[in-house]
Amino acid sequence: MSVRQRVDQQPGFVLHTYPYRETSLIVEVFSRDHGRIGLVAKGARRPMSQLRGVLMAFQPLFIDWSGGGEMKTLVRAEWQGGQPLLGGQALLCAYYLNELLMRLLPREDAHPALYRAYGEALRALADDESREFVLRRFELAMLQELGYGLELESDCDGRPIRPDSRYAYIIERGAVPLDEYGVADDSSVVAGQTLLDMAHGEFRNPESLAGSKALMRRLIQHYLGGQVLQSRRVFTELLAYPGESS
């Protein structure tokens, strides 16, 4: 027997919505204190529904819901304000963040630190901060919060990373000096300086920026279990036509 509960004024963001029956929506929400929650928004697709203009992605909300099963019932949603609307490539990056959370974050698994990191990433994208910097910081925070954190300042044997050395980063093991690992796949090779820059959230070095992107892409693909990210595919296609991406 599930226990019915009522949650009021819970800060949250809409990650995804899709139609449910004739007039309703299923709403996937990332909440601060309850993690990812599935909600049924009854009648939200009706023309006069008060929810139609509120259930927007990337906008901070206060959300009320009730119920004790896997799918709760949305009672009310109220816009908090303070978050500018996103557009262009910043909007595509935000969709990428949402897709990562949808694919990797289990339901009802609270991660307040990840919630803060998500809000900070949206604000940074709205402020036109470097998209690559924003995405790398969020990816690192997400893996850390989900229990897949990277050891970036020590190698697999606990020795300090040497900035002038190169390593093979082996998933579930860590950084292995190339002179000990032998022949490594190019996709796993990363500079020691890149690992140290990632540890300090510093991506201004072009080699570190490129190396961190390649490493994070490989790690995230591994934890996705081969699932294809639609947001990444769309972004790649749009970049082939520069006039379409801005």
Side-chain angles (χ1 to χ4, degrees):
M1 294 289 292
S2 60
V3 178
R4 290 187 62 82
Q5 62 173 330
R6 171 74 183 241
V7 175
D8 292 318
Q9 293 288 285
Q10 174 64 203
F13 290 90
V14 171
L15 295 178
H16 183 62
T17 65
Y18 53 93
Y20 178 66
R21 298 182 175 172
E22 292 186 2
T23 62
S24 301
L25 287 172
I26 297 295
V27 185
E28 293 283 352
V29 166
F30 184 26
S31 69
R32 184 188 64 192
D33 300 323
H34 299 266
R36 183 165 70 89
I37 301 291
L39 304 174
V40 178
K42 296 180 178 179
R45 296 164 62 201
R46 290 178 177 147
M48 301 303 292
S49 172
Q50 295 181 347
L51 294 172
R52 283 177 65 90
V54 178
L55 298 176
M56 299 172 59
F58 319 123
Q59 292 296 310
L61 305 176
F62 288 119
I63 305 168
D64 302 353
W65 69 78
S66 66
E70 181 180 1
M71 297 298 298
K72 283 66 165 142
T73 299
L74 178 65
V75 176
R76 190 168 69 96
E78 176 187 350
W79 182 52
Q80 290 189 43
Q83 172 67 35
L85 295 176
L86 299 174
Q89 292 185 7
L91 180 61
L92 290 174
C93 289
Y95 277 118
Y96 168 71
L97 301 186
N98 280 14
E99 190 172 11
L100 286 179
L101 292 172
M102 285 290 297
R103 300 288 185 93
L104 293 174
L105 186 63
R107 281 242 180 97
E108 300 189 51
D109 189 8
H111 290 280
L114 181 57
Y115 181 87
R116 288 193 299 272
Y118 176 76
E120 290 168 1
L122 293 183
R123 288 189 290 274
L125 289 172
D127 290 341
D128 205 27
E129 189 174 337
S130 167
R131 294 183 298 275
E132 296 285 355
F133 294 3
V134 174
L135 296 183
R136 299 297 84 78
R137 286 200 301 262
F138 179 80
E139 290 167 343
L140 283 167
M142 179 187 67
L143 292 184
Q144 179 68 37
E145 278 296 303
L146 297 182
Y148 306 132
L150 284 66
E151 177 52 67
L152 298 168
E153 297 186 277
S154 302
D155 69 13
C156 60
D157 293 321
R159 296 168 295 193
I161 292 291
R162 301 188 301 270
D164 57 347
S165 296
R166 300 186 75 77
Y167 296 82
Y169 200 95
I170 310 304
I171 297 173
E172 312 294 355
R173 187 179 176 193
V176 183
L178 273 186
D179 57 1
E180 297 179 14
Y181 188 75
V183 179
D185 185 282
D186 286 346
S187 66
S188 71
V189 176
V190 61
Q193 186 62 57
T194 295
L195 295 175
L196 293 173
D197 285 346
M198 291 174 68
H200 296 94
E202 176 55 65
F203 302 102
R204 299 185 186 280
N205 181 321
E207 182 179 5
S208 292
L209 183 60
S212 62
K213 181 177 182 177
L215 176 57
M216 295 308 297
R217 178 167 293 190
R218 190 166 65 90
L219 289 167
I220 287 172
Q221 195 59 43
H222 170 77
Y223 292 119
L224 285 170
Q227 298 179 78
V228 177
L229 290 173
Q230 296 303 311
S231 53
R232 183 178 289 165
R233 178 186 60 78
V234 170
F235 194 74
T236 301
E237 290 176 355
L238 287 177
L239 286 180
Y241 304 95
E244 299 291 334
S245 60
S246 59

